[in-house]
Amino acid sequence: MTFKSTRNSFIIAISVVGLLHLFFGISLGWLVLPGTVYLALIIYGSAIIQSNFFAYAYCHANASEKEIALSFDDGPNREYTPQVLSTLAQHNAPATFFVIGKNIHGNESILKQIDAEGHSIGNHSYTHSFYVDFKNLQGFKNELNQTAESVFKVIGKRMKLFRPPYGVTTPNLVKASNSLNYSIIGWTIRSFDTTSDTAQVITRRVQTQIKPGAIILFHDTSDKTIQVLKQTLNFAKENGYKIVSVERLLKIEAYE
C-alpha cells in the first residue's frame, strides 16, 4: 500500500460516510474510524522504510548468489571509524558509509581514507536532528546539500545514495531527495547496535537474518559494533557469503 492508494481509500471512506449520513442519517461520528486508520497508516508508512509508502527505498536485492552488503551510519567517528576500516581491510570487505555532514569537520582525513580504501560514501543528512523530519522541502534540501558539499570538498565526488535519518520518510523528504537525484537506501537487517544489547545478542540477531541480497545496518560509533562486525565477517566467510558494496549489490551508482 502506498500513500496515494491510502489517500484515495480515505477519500472514498469519508465520502461513503457522508452519503450514509445524508440519506440514512447515520452519525458523522463514524468519520473517526477512517480518520484513525488513515493516521495509523501514515505513521506506519513514515516509520517503516521497507513499506515503500511514500517512495521506493532499496532495502534488499534479488540476488541469485550469496552476496550481502554492509553499511555504517552516523560517522565519520574519530575513534571507531578507523577501527571499522581496519577490520574491513583485514577481510578485504567493502562497505558503504552514510555520513552525517556535521561530523565531517575535523575528520576529513577519515573521509579520505574511506574513499581511498575503496568504500563508498552516502548522504545521511547534515544534522541528523530528532526534529529533522519536521523540516519543510527547502529545509530537507539544505540538509542534503550541506552534506553533499562537505563530502565533495574532501573527495571530489557527488553522492547519489541517501539514507534518511532514523529510516523515516516523509513527503517533503522524498521530494527533496528526488529533486536532487538521490537513491533512497534502507536495509534488510537492522542490527540495533546502538541499544543496550550485548555484542553477543546483536551478533546472533544479525547472523540469523543473513540471506542472499541482504543489506546490514551498523553504526561506526561504538566498540560493540567492532566486535559484532568481526563475528559477522567470520560468519559470512564460513558460510560462503561474499561481501560487496551496496551499489554493486543493487546495481546502481554511488556517485554522479
Side-chain angles (χ1 to χ4, degrees):
M1 182 173 285
T2 65
F3 173 63
K4 183 177 180 180
S5 64
T6 299
R7 182 182 56 193
N8 290 341
S9 297
F10 174 67
I11 292 172
I12 292 171
I14 61 174
S15 297
V16 168
V17 172
L19 290 171
L20 290 173
H21 170 73
L22 181 64
F23 292 105
F24 300 101
I26 73 164
S27 172
L28 288 177
W30 281 100
L31 288 172
V32 173
L33 180 58
T36 301
V37 173
Y38 180 71
L39 180 60
L41 288 172
I42 291 293
I43 294 173
Y44 171 82
S46 297
I48 307 300
I49 195 169
Q50 291 88 351
S51 70
N52 295 325
F53 191 75
F54 288 112
Y56 180 77
Y58 292 93
C59 296
H60 63 86
N62 296 319
S64 56
E65 300 180 8
K66 297 181 75 172
E67 295 182 337
I68 59 175
L70 306 177
S71 63
F72 295 86
D73 287 6
D74 295 357
N77 181 284
R78 189 169 304 175
E79 181 176 1
Y80 297 109
T81 305
Q83 294 183 52
V84 168
L85 291 171
S86 176
T87 302
L88 293 172
Q90 292 171 25
H91 290 261
N92 195 29
T96 302
F97 291 79
F98 291 93
V99 299
I100 298 174
K102 67 178 183 180
N103 291 342
I104 293 173
H105 181 67
N107 293 314
E108 290 87 352
S109 61
I110 297 175
L111 200 68
K112 288 181 180 178
Q113 183 183 355
I114 292 172
D115 180 58
E117 295 185 3
H119 307 293
S120 52
I121 298 171
N123 200 324
H124 197 40
S125 82
Y126 190 81
T127 63
H128 203 294
S129 164
F130 179 78
Y131 302 102
V132 70
D133 295 301
F134 296 99
K135 287 182 178 290
N136 58 24
L137 177 58
Q138 189 57 51
F140 276 120
K141 284 186 176 181
N142 291 342
E143 286 271 341
L144 292 168
N145 285 330
Q146 280 183 282
T147 301
E149 288 305 313
S150 296
V151 169
F152 183 76
K153 287 179 182 178
V154 177
I155 67 170
K157 297 178 181 178
R158 296 285 182 187
M159 299 176 292
K160 291 185 65 175
L161 307 181
F162 168 54
R163 175 170 285 162
Y166 309 106
V168 173
T169 56
T170 62
N172 283 334
L173 180 146
V174 170
K175 289 177 183 177
S177 63
N178 286 344
S179 68
L180 298 173
N181 297 315
Y182 280 99
S183 295
I184 298 176
I185 309 297
W187 57 82
T188 316
I189 303 170
R190 189 171 191 171
S191 65
F192 289 102
D193 55 346
T194 58
T195 66
S196 60
D197 290 343
T198 65
Q200 183 179 11
V201 169
I202 297 169
T203 298
R204 189 184 312 116
R205 177 186 297 127
V206 171
Q207 291 182 0
T208 55
Q209 297 182 73
I210 288 179
K211 59 183 179 180
I215 300 172
I216 305 175
L217 166 61
F218 289 123
H219 295 80
D220 49 337
T221 55
S222 72
D223 179 67
K224 190 161 49 178
T225 296
I226 309 301
Q227 299 175 50
V228 176
L229 175 61
K230 291 177 180 178
Q231 294 299 319
T232 301
L233 289 168
N234 288 332
F235 177 87
K237 183 178 181 180
E238 292 167 0
N239 288 273
Y241 282 94
K242 183 178 182 180
I243 310 295
V244 299
S245 63
V246 164
E247 65 270 22
R248 173 171 170 176
L249 184 72
L250 298 172
K251 296 179 174 57
I252 59 177
E253 298 295 326
Y255 304 105
E256 291 182 356

